[in-house]
Every structure is written in C-alpha cells, then in structure tokens.
Amino acid sequence: MLRIAVPNKGSLSEPAADMLREAGYRQRRDSRELVLPDPDNEVEFFFLRPRDIAVYVGQGTVDVGITGRDLLLDSASAATEHLPLGFARSTFRFAATAGSMDQVRQIDGRRVATSYPVLVSGYLRSQGVTPAGVVRLDGAVETAIRLGVADVIADVVETGTTLRAAGLEIFGEPLLRSEAVLVRRSDGVEPVGLDVLTRRLQGVLTAREYVLMDYDVPLSQVEAAVAITPGLESPTVAPLHNREWAAVRAMVRRADTNRVMDALYEVGARAILVTSIHACRL
C-alpha cells in the first residue's frame, strides 16, 4: 500500500485531513492514532511531526507526505516537492529594529535568529551574504533581538502586527512564499499509487477553485455569453423547449462568480445558477 505521512498537529494538520477526506480517503477520529490503514483505497497513513515528514520521505520510510514548503527546504532531505496543495500559505521575511536596516546585504556580519536555519543559511549564501552566525530558536523569534541573542530575525510574517509590537520592521524581499505541498523522494522513482493520489488531490484543488454555472440565454446572445464563460475546453450549450433560448453550463473560477454573473445578466442571460463542485477529474 502507498504509505502517506500526514501532519499530526499544528496548522497543517486539520486542513491536510480535510483535503484527504474530500479526496475520498479515511481519516482518523482519534488524535492519538498514529497509523491508519485504508485498505479500500490501498493506502496507509502515518501521523508524524510536520518538521519530520520530509526526512522520513527522503529516507524512504514513507512514500509521500504532506508538509510545508518551508519545512521541506529546511530539512535538507532527499525529498522534493511533487504538488502544491494551496493551503497554509505564508511568507518568510527578515526583520530588524525599526529604522536599522533596509537591505538584505546589511545582514553581512550580523547574527540572525530563526526557526529555519538551513533555509535561511541557504538563502543568504545565494545572496552573497555571510552572517556572523545563524541562531536556531524553536519559537518566539521576535524577542531574540531585544534579548541580545541576534541582530536580525527571519520568520513567518502574516500581517506584521506581532513584529511591530516588538519594535521590529520588515525589510528586503521575501525569502520564500510557502504553502502546504505533497513531497516525494527526489531519486525519480515514483511509488505505486502516487498517480491516483495526485489525481484525487488535483480534483479537490479544482473543485475548490471552480464552480458550475448554469444559465439560460437568448440564441442571439449565445456567442456573447459563451465569450464570458468559455469553460475549460468549451461550455455545454443545449436547446430549450422555447427554441429562441438555449441553456449553457460552464466551469467558472469561484473568485470570479459574481463578476461573471453580472456580465451575463448584462447580455441577457437569466436564471443564472451557481453550484459547488464536490469532486472532479480533468
């Protein structure tokens, strides 16, 4: 069976379980379960620390796993990104005492505190910057400068509120834009069953991104309406009992739903209905 590592806790855990459940796989009901076989789908789930998942995948202990892109890169393991999963997005930035720095090259000769030393060290090397040292901290990185542990920090930034409260200011370009990813070994050998898992997860991603839109439109306006909703390959156009009208169905990006409905109404479409997609294969 395909052995899949899943985060056992933290911000990745619940969204990963939700995605796998939507893809048709069993998921644990008790957080104390460490192994969950799913013989109907020929897979077995192992619930592990998110930071360890890329290491287990790289060593071949499990076939694939769900973790963060940041954790994958920081692990320096023999694992590689196979599929981005679209949740747990974050941005890595540098920060220092407000007004003290505005360029990454100013980190040269300074101490940097972070929870991701391998990732940060690799980035600084790529920029030709040599810090005085990279200090690994497991949490509360934003206090490192005030406590004299470091001159600069590198951390996940969402709104920046926590950093500002600590008297810090973001500078330079982001080190990384991270999200949850499916990882596999980087030796090029594809484990049996990975193709099925990939199609299922891609189906979930598509179902989350698109909706089905149905509407009626006068025959004279079909081309104008279809130009607004071209679908993926082509929309479905079917005759109605009233032969002066046609029914159209197409997939539309969820984020564009209301704008598209407005545009369709303007060209004469009526009875515009939107339906969520629960699963699909493209």
Side-chain angles (χ1 to χ4, degrees), residues 126-145:
S126 72
Q127 301 297 308
V129 174
T130 304
V134 176
V135 182
R136 175 173 181 167
L137 299 176
D138 288 331
V141 176
E142 64 275 1
T143 63
I145 296 175

Side-chain angles (χ1 to χ4, degrees), residues 13-97:
S13 178
E14 188 172 340
D18 289 343
M19 173 168 270
L20 289 165
R21 195 175 291 111
E22 287 180 49
Y25 294 103
R26 288 183 62 194
Q27 286 299 287
R28 62 180 182 174
R29 297 181 179 179
D30 187 338
S31 61
R32 292 173 295 182
E33 287 184 273
L34 301 179
V35 181
L36 176 66
D38 185 356
D40 291 342
N41 291 299
E42 299 182 339
V43 301
E44 190 171 18
F45 295 104
F46 296 83
F47 296 89
L48 306 171
R49 288 180 66 239
R51 184 172 282 277
D52 297 336
I53 287 175
V55 176
Y56 282 111
V57 172
Q59 292 177 346
T61 308
V62 294
D63 298 310
V64 295
I66 295 175
T67 188
R69 183 178 292 132
D70 49 358
L71 296 172
L72 167 64
L73 295 175
D74 196 60
S75 72
S77 68
T80 188
E81 182 174 326
H82 179 71
L83 179 70
L85 298 177
F87 65 87
R89 290 191 170 100
S90 61
T91 304
F92 264 73
R93 305 294 297 265
F94 288 112
T97 303

Side-chain angles (χ1 to χ4, degrees), residues 16 25 29 47 51 54-55 66 82 90 102 111 137 159 163 165-166 172 201 210 227-228 236 239 257 280:
Y25 294 103
R29 297 181 179 179
F47 296 89
R51 184 172 282 277
V55 176
I66 295 175
H82 179 71
S90 61
D102 58 12
R111 298 165 300 164
L137 299 176
T159 63
L163 294 177
L201 294 178
Y210 287 88
I228 299 169
T236 300
T257 299
C280 70

